[in-house]
Amino acid sequence: MAASDGTSQVRIHLKTRSPDLELPQDTGPILVSTELKRYQLSTLVNRLLETEKPVPLEFLMNGQFLRTSIDEFLTQNGISAETTLSVEYVKALVPPLFVSSYEHDDWVSSLDVLSQGSRPAQWAGERAGAVSQRILTGSYDGLLRVWNMSNDVVATGQGHTAAVKAAKFVSPQQVVSSGVDRTLRLWKFDDAEGAGAGSLTPTMELYGHRAAVENLAVHAPSSRILSASSDHSVGLWSTKKSEAPAAPETLLPSNKRRKLSSTAKASPQRGPLSMLQGHQSQVADVCFDEKDSTVAYSASWDHSVKTWDLTTSACVDTRTTAQSLFSICHLPEAGLLATGTSARHITLIDPRVDARTVSAMTLRGHMNAVVSLARDPNSSYQIVSGSHDGTCRIWDIRSARQEATDRVGEAVYVIDRESAKGKPRSAVGEGVKVFGVQWDPEVGIVSGGEDKRVQINKGSS
């Protein structure tokens, strides 16, 4: 349709899923010029919302973010201007800018973030009190470190006899780690301001795996820990000493080795609640179901994702893909699992037993294996990935295009390593491979890797 001045117009129906951005109920379809682009539409909607301060908005049409004028979008998708378009508007993701980096003595294998808005603090509730922002790192030098936001190491944990592969906050006062030495270790964290003022004290050693423990997942309310191991198994553990069974005698270190261990005081040794068997190769990652902590998912080099009933320790479903899987993350609102693959892309898997297809969507853009995934703490539609190509990428699964039999999405933003600035980019990420990434509501996107650095990126206003 055409306006009186000859310009084309289209009727759009605006909607949002954010309660704080809802238009008045009597707002019906409105006529807008097809020449409008995202910025002009954002200005128009902010005017309708009567916001005191403009909120940057993105617009989803037919499941795709508007990146051109409306007219170009209609032409590219074969949509008539006579159609009333259903347009969803969402808060725009602000480009994450480099904040700082913390240098280590060796590769940074894993990390976690503690803040007032982080999951461990939320689980602890009022018991947590005031929580300071802290970054926990595990390194190939076998050490755990807790950092403050002033680049000081507040506490150091020394106990693993080989490289640390995973480290997580269970609560603001408790940490769990695992490594190449086949063990999990629980630590008491006493926080304090200033370099070296805090402490990490070992409280329990967990034995049960027969090979390196590659990744961990925690659920503090149920006192449960999950572990993914190169021995093809998933371990289920308790954080409570009284609940944990005795450690298998055959897996305990000899007295001689214990004396040579760097742990000053011997910690209680315990075993797993259960070892979940079924994978045919290394289990790379594991996670709890975000809505039901009695359900878990594991991703393996054997190309499969398995769903586990933790109450019975039984595998209840297996989804097989075409590639080895290196990472996994649950997206509860979408009902999907994001899995990082050896084939350089992210496959979104529908774990429901009645799902017609395994792959619901493919996110393409990385140039090497995708080894770490984390969900946006403020959205179940946005994730960040860490890859051996030396980048982290931010994705919004609401935006995808149909290609043949697959829906394909592209990254919203790419985060490069600051340590690689000014150097030729290597497709394989030589020297700057990312091994771990987390997304915290306060601290931002935190990643670590082969450049021996933790890097923090955060959206600017």
Side-chain angles (χ1 to χ4, degrees), residues 118-186:
S118 67
R119 185 67 64 83
Q122 292 174 348
W123 280 332
E126 294 181 359
R127 292 182 288 109
V131 174
S132 300
Q133 294 177 354
R134 297 288 184 259
I135 297 174
L136 168 68
T137 62
S139 174
Y140 274 74
D141 62 10
L143 299 180
L144 294 177
R145 296 174 178 86
V146 180
W147 304 73
N148 63 21
M149 305 313 293
S150 300
N151 207 349
D152 297 319
V153 177
V154 173
T156 303
Q158 188 172 3
H160 284 285
T161 57
V164 174
K165 296 301 296 285
K168 298 279 186 183
F169 281 107
V170 180
S171 73
Q173 294 82 36
Q174 191 176 40
V175 164
V176 63
S177 61
S178 67
V180 175
D181 63 5
R182 308 177 182 184
T183 69
L184 284 75
R185 293 171 188 257
L186 283 161

Side-chain angles (χ1 to χ4, degrees), residues 30-332:
I30 60 174
L31 278 172
V32 298
S33 169
T34 57
E35 295 179 358
L36 294 187
K37 294 185 177 181
R38 185 194 72 82
Y39 178 76
Q40 290 92 345
L41 265 180
S42 183
T43 302
L44 171 63
V45 174
N46 271 280
R47 198 175 297 142
L48 293 171
L49 290 169
E50 298 180 347
T51 53
E52 293 183 13
K53 185 179 180 182
V55 178
L57 300 172
E58 294 272 14
F59 297 89
L60 282 159
M61 298 181 178
N62 280 15
Q64 299 178 52
F65 279 114
L66 182 65
R67 293 290 181 255
T68 63
S69 67
I70 296 176
D71 184 57
E72 289 176 84
F73 179 86
L74 296 176
T75 302
Q76 291 170 3
N77 290 273
I79 302 172
S80 169
E82 301 297 323
T83 305
T84 299
L85 287 175
S86 181
V87 179
E88 182 180 353
Y89 58 94
V90 297
K91 290 180 181 178
L93 188 64
V94 182
L97 302 179
F98 173 72
V99 176
S100 62
S101 63
Y102 302 169
E103 292 192 22
H104 286 61
D105 296 329
D106 208 335
W107 295 356
V108 181
S109 58
S110 62
L111 49 84
D112 200 9
V113 184
L114 179 67
S115 71
Q116 199 71 52
S118 67
R119 185 67 64 83
Q122 292 174 348
W123 280 332
E126 294 181 359
R127 292 182 288 109
V131 174
S132 300
Q133 294 177 354
R134 297 288 184 259
I135 297 174
L136 168 68
T137 62
S139 174
Y140 274 74
D141 62 10
L143 299 180
L144 294 177
R145 296 174 178 86
V146 180
W147 304 73
N148 63 21
M149 305 313 293
S150 300
N151 207 349
D152 297 319
V153 177
V154 173
T156 303
Q158 188 172 3
H160 284 285
T161 57
V164 174
K165 296 301 296 285
K168 298 279 186 183
F169 281 107
V170 180
S171 73
Q173 294 82 36
Q174 191 176 40
V175 164
V176 63
S177 61
S178 67
V180 175
D181 63 5
R182 308 177 182 184
T183 69
L184 284 75
R185 293 171 188 257
L186 283 161
W187 310 75
K188 179 185 177 184
F189 173 49
D190 288 312
D191 199 2
E193 292 298 332
S199 64
L200 279 168
T201 307
T203 58
M204 192 156 54
E205 299 172 10
L206 300 175
Y207 294 86
H209 283 298
R210 298 177 181 274
V213 185
E214 302 290 339
N215 251 314
L216 298 170
V218 300
H219 186 259
S222 62
S223 306
R224 295 294 181 261
I225 300 170
L226 292 168
S227 57
S229 173
S230 295
D231 67 7
H232 306 183
S233 69
V234 174
L236 176 63
W237 315 79
S238 175
T239 61
K240 296 180 179 178
K241 185 171 63 175
S242 58
E243 283 187 358
E249 287 288 339
T250 56
L251 297 180
L252 291 176
S254 65
N255 290 331
K256 183 178 179 181
R257 284 185 61 194
R258 262 186 90 80
K259 289 177 182 177
L260 294 174
S261 170
S262 54
T263 306
K265 184 180 178 181
S267 305
Q269 300 166 326
R270 293 292 185 271
L273 297 173
S274 179
M275 297 300 286
L276 313 181
Q277 308 289 346
H279 280 295
Q280 302 304 307
S281 187
Q282 174 172 325
V283 184
D285 201 2
V286 65
C287 69
F288 285 95
D289 185 291
E290 294 278 349
K291 294 183 176 180
D292 184 354
S293 63
T294 66
V295 175
Y297 307 102
S298 57
S300 169
W301 288 23
D302 66 9
H303 300 195
S304 75
V305 167
K306 289 186 179 291
T307 302
W308 303 91
D309 179 348
L310 299 181
T311 58
T312 61
S313 298
C315 175
V316 295
D317 186 66
T318 300
R319 303 273 137 170
T320 303
T321 68
Q323 302 87 23
S324 294
L325 303 178
F326 292 163
S327 50
I328 192 166
C329 174
H330 187 217
L331 308 176

